[in-house]
Amino acid sequence: MSTPSLLILAGDGIGPEVMGEVKKIIAWFDDKRGLKFDISEDLVGGAAYDAHGTPLTDETMAKAQEVDAVLLGAVGGPAYDDLDFSVKPERGLLRLRKEMDLFANLRPAQCFDALADFSSLKPELISGLDIMIVRELTSGVYFGEPRGIFEENGERVGLNTQRYTESEIDRVARAAFELARKRNNRLCSMEKANVMESGILWREVVTKIGAEDYPDVELSHMYADNGAMQLVRNPKQFDVIVTDNLFGDILSDVAAMLTGSLGMLPSASLGVPMANGMPKAMYEPVHGSAPDITGQGKANPSATILSFAMALRYSYGQGAEADRLEAAVEKVLADGTRTADLMQKGEGTPASTTEMGDAIVAALTASL
Ligand code: NAD
């Protein structure tokens, strides 16, 4: 079997800083667990624009298509705010998602017990929370045609189109059912079938797949507005949630922030299976390039490290090692090591980016 490949695109701002800590983790798995990776690195976002005049070169795009997984840091920053839309750093990220056809965006919302006080909800509502939102990422109202701003009856009209084909619903629903099977066998599908035809079709397709191919998974349906309310009222009622691009954009942000800091939130975007049976995949923290703390050693590397844990689980078939890495992060937090984003004002001296990474490596070693 060939060595599994990984393309690292650190990007801009704190991207290279947090990626430095992931590289320590990768070296640890190589050294102590015999997990070898064929690693290549390249530029994306503003860094690629500075070097090549484009936020993603064709060569980097081709490389991303070939590897088993891409791990991305973050893109963007004030230096690039005035660039033309076509070469803005975010275009590099969107091109990767689009051309790799990454249609299922996995956003876990998991509460580490040590951080339960960080949530805006009461600790008892949040402690032990572990849910996964699967958001459809390549269709729906963000992509539907017709779209635009035009004149009608002497005034301007802004138009977007919510559009889903059966096959688009089918493939993201199957991804969510499969995930539910690997977790607690419960899936809640959210749409607005009460007011939208796309929601009616969504519900029909999900129900049919559930009945025919996943009868062992407990399927429920909820209108997305009620879903938002329930996520804040009693988030622990959910296991896996599947929803469309627009609702998923909002619901996954709500769910994620229940658990505290942006510095802790990983994500995965998955596409169709490759020849080896694993899906095309890109892993990245939810946060951006954090220009306000760039270069100061303050960034929390956990979100990117936890994104690598997702890669271990979903791209490299190393679920037990993913569990080990997540447990190491949890232990470091429980032992009280915190970066500044995880501390209240006046609470003591925060750990630096490298100290946090080193503590996670030490916790990994302690796990052996
Ligand atoms: P941001 O996520 O970069 O930062 C928001 C706040 O959270 C900042 O105060 C920042 O210091 C803090 N923060 C973020 N990540 C952190 C970490 N790992 N550790 C500690 N604190 C952290 O969002 P923003 O400020 O709105 O955007 C900054 C730039 O990033 C913009 O150019 C934006 O377009 C870009 N952006 C990129 C992505 C991406 O690459 N996926 C996502 C969001 C924003």
Side-chain angles (χ1 to χ4, degrees), residues 146-152 155-160:
R147 63 186 295 164
I149 300 175
F150 55 89
E151 288 270 329
E152 190 180 272
E155 63 174 340
R156 291 191 304 155
V157 178
L159 176 72
N160 291 91

Side-chain angles (χ1 to χ4, degrees), residues 105-109 129 131-136 142 188-192 202 222-232 235 238 240-259 265 286:
N105 182 217
L106 275 52
R107 292 271 302 264
L129 179 76
I131 61 184
M132 176 75 83
I133 300 208
V134 181
R135 165 191 173 194
E136 198 291 325
Y142 293 161
C188 181
S189 169
M190 296 188 185
E191 26 57 15
K192 286 198 54 107
W202 183 282
M222 207 177 260
Y223 298 138
D225 48 343
N226 183 31
M229 217 155 59
Q230 295 299 330
L231 270 173
V232 177
F238 297 111
V240 179
I241 293 172
V242 63
T243 189
D244 75 13
N245 202 343
L246 172 63
F247 296 140
D249 194 359
I250 298 163
L251 293 169
S252 62
D253 271 11
V254 170
M257 283 318 290
L258 294 176
T259 68
L265 298 171
V286 169

Side-chain angles (χ1 to χ4, degrees), residues 73-363:
V75 297
Y80 309 105
D81 281 352
D82 295 331
L83 287 181
D84 186 72
F85 183 70
S86 63
V87 288
K88 273 193 182 298
E90 292 75 10
R91 302 302 297 173
L93 185 54
L94 293 177
R95 182 175 176 200
L96 282 162
R97 286 181 185 158
K98 187 164 191 295
E99 294 192 18
M100 291 171 77
D101 200 12
L102 302 173
F103 59 84
N105 182 217
L106 275 52
R107 292 271 302 264
Q110 191 178 4
C111 183
F112 293 100
D113 278 349
L115 298 181
D117 284 340
F118 256 80
S119 173
S120 49
L121 297 191
K122 296 189 196 97
E124 63 267 28
L125 284 180
I126 207 77
S127 102
L129 179 76
D130 181 6
I131 61 184
M132 176 75 83
I133 300 208
V134 181
R135 165 191 173 194
E136 198 291 325
L137 201 59
T138 51
S139 184
V141 73
Y142 293 161
F143 295 94
E145 298 284 347
R147 63 186 295 164
I149 300 175
F150 55 89
E151 288 270 329
E152 190 180 272
N153 301 328
E155 63 174 340
R156 291 191 304 155
V157 178
L159 176 72
N160 291 91
T161 302
Q162 166 83 338
R163 181 177 191 278
Y164 270 105
T165 63
E166 281 185 283
S167 56
E168 287 168 341
I169 302 169
D170 183 286
R171 64 184 189 172
V172 73
R174 284 182 194 281
F177 275 112
E178 291 291 335
L179 262 176
R181 261 193 186 156
K182 292 194 185 115
R183 293 169 50 101
N184 296 313
N185 256 356
R186 288 189 295 120
L187 176 65
C188 181
S189 169
M190 296 188 185
E191 26 57 15
K192 286 198 54 107
N194 49 342
V195 287
M196 297 171 77
E197 283 75 7
S198 57
I200 295 174
L201 184 67
W202 183 282
R203 190 175 284 217
E204 275 178 23
V205 173
V206 174
T207 304
K208 183 163 178 282
I209 296 169
E212 287 177 359
D213 295 333
Y214 298 91
D216 51 312
V217 176
E218 184 188 317
L219 173 66
S220 59
H221 303 274
M222 207 177 260
Y223 298 138
D225 48 343
N226 183 31
M229 217 155 59
Q230 295 299 330
L231 270 173
V232 177
R233 192 184 70 84
N234 176 19
K236 283 193 262 185
Q237 69 184 285
F238 297 111
D239 179 19
V240 179
I241 293 172
V242 63
T243 189
D244 75 13
N245 202 343
L246 172 63
F247 296 140
D249 194 359
I250 298 163
L251 293 169
S252 62
D253 271 11
V254 170
M257 283 318 290
L258 294 176
T259 68
S261 166
L262 262 179
M264 295 301 304
L265 298 171
S267 79
S269 300
L270 307 180
V272 294
M274 298 181 289
N276 66 2
M278 293 304 201
K280 275 210 171 150
M282 181 161 74
Y283 300 87
E284 54 183 315
V286 169
H287 63 70
S289 59
D292 54 334
I293 57 166
T294 295
Q296 300 172 32
K298 289 183 182 167
N300 183 351
S302 303
T304 314
I305 289 171
L306 291 169
S307 300
F308 178 67
M310 293 184 84
L312 286 172
R313 181 172 292 120
Y314 298 119
S315 284
Y316 301 119
Q318 297 287 347
E321 300 302 336
D323 290 346
R324 180 192 298 280
L325 180 50
E326 287 165 356
V329 173
E330 172 130 47
K331 178 170 187 302
V332 165
L333 295 172
D335 289 349
T337 305
R338 308 274 167 95
T339 41
D341 56 308
L342 305 177
M343 296 178 88
Q344 317 283 1
K345 272 211 163 59
E347 212 185 14
T349 314
S352 68
T353 307
T354 51
E355 285 166 345
M356 191 73 181
D358 290 343
I360 295 170
V361 168

